[in-house]
């Protein structure tokens, strides 16, 4: 993928995907995990909940890195209760939006599998420490949001949402870390927040990505089939700081079907390229 070097103050820029992944409803739990003086048992349980969440974040990131091919590399950082992932293609390969979009779908499917497990681990911890939970108002509140109105049936409370945009991303190296800036990141963050308004969706991406995906597929009729069947056009939404913006979304139940279709196209493209170069 294109990379540009700006001499002033060692500022650099690249063109890539900005993928913001956020754990929904986590802050509501975090506010109740205060360590309290002279509360050793409840403090220990709160620390165990924190440990479960930290393990989830590290294991999820490790799984994303391990599953990522050499065709698409990325930089990443934690964002408190989520991730910022920035895709960039291998410097010696032709940029291909299809690769980045498939990586996006892989990330989505990974979270779709692991977030329910995160919920179940927290629920098991609350269930197995019922006496401690009853004796602490913060833990009682956490239990209440993981149960239904009858307070008898457990339910998942933590979800996730993903927002994606592509464009110029500016960064500066600081020792062994990178500091990232740019409207591309800001806009992807605005997109993931749309799940609070459009609760039926939790994967949002820009019209620019749709256009580049269409071009990368190379067959308008195939892209048209995919977009009409599985992409939801949310029209032009007023997004703070950006004004009317075209946004697309994919329903959870359709993500696997989109990936399956695009994987067939990817294999066909790779086979065609191999014949040409072989």
């Amino acid at each position: 993928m294109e990379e540009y070097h700006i001499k002033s103050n060692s500022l650099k820029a690249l063109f890539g995907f900005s993928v913001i992944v956020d754990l929904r409803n986590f802050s509501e739990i975090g506010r109740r995990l205060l360590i309290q003086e002279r509360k050793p048992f409840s403090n220990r349980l709160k620390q165990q909940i924190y440990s479960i969440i930290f393990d989830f974040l590290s294991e999820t990131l490790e799984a994303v890195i391990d599953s990522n091919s050499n065709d698409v590399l990325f930089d990443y950082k934690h964002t408190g209760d989520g991730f910022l992932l920035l895709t960039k293609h291998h410097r010696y390969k032709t940029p291909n939006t299809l690769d980045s979009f498939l990586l996006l779908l892989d990330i989505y499917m990974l979270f779709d599998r692991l977030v329910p497990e995160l919920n179940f681990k927290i629920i098991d911890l609350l269930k197995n420490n019922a006496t401690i939970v009853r004796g602490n108002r913060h833990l009682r509140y956490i239990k209440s949001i993981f149960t239904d109105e009858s307070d008898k049936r457990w339910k998942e409370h933590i979800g996730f949402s993903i927002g994606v945009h592509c464009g110029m991303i500016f960064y500066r190296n600081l020792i062994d870390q990178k500091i990232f800036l740019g409207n591309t990141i800001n806009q992807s963050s605005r997109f993931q927040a749309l799940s609070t308004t459009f609760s039926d969706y939790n994967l949002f991406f820009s019209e620019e990505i749709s256009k580049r995906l269409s071009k990368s597929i190379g067959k308008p009729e195939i892209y048209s089939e995919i977009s009409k069947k599985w992409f939801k056009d949310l029209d032009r939404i007023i997004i703070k700081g950006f004004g009317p913006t075209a946004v697309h979304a994919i329903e959870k139940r359709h993500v696997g079907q989109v990936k399956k279709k695009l994987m067939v196209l990817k294999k066909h493209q790779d086979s065609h390229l191999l014949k040409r170069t072989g």
Side-chain angles (χ1 to χ4, degrees), residues 24 41 67 92 96 109 143 169 268 274:
R24 309 300 297 173
F41 296 108
S67 65
Y92 301 114
N96 187 340
M109 295 176 76
K143 179 196 172 187
I169 300 166
H268 178 75
L274 185 62

Side-chain angles (χ1 to χ4, degrees), residues 74-105:
F74 57 87
D75 288 303
Y76 57 87
K77 69 175 183 177
H78 286 291
T79 59
D81 53 4
F83 305 106
L84 164 64
L85 306 173
L86 302 172
T87 72
K88 59 185 183 195
H89 290 266
H90 192 284
R91 68 180 66 182
Y92 301 114
K93 293 182 180 291
T94 303
N96 187 340
T97 301
L98 181 55
D99 288 333
S100 287
F101 202 84
L102 283 168
L103 174 59
L104 165 64
L105 298 181

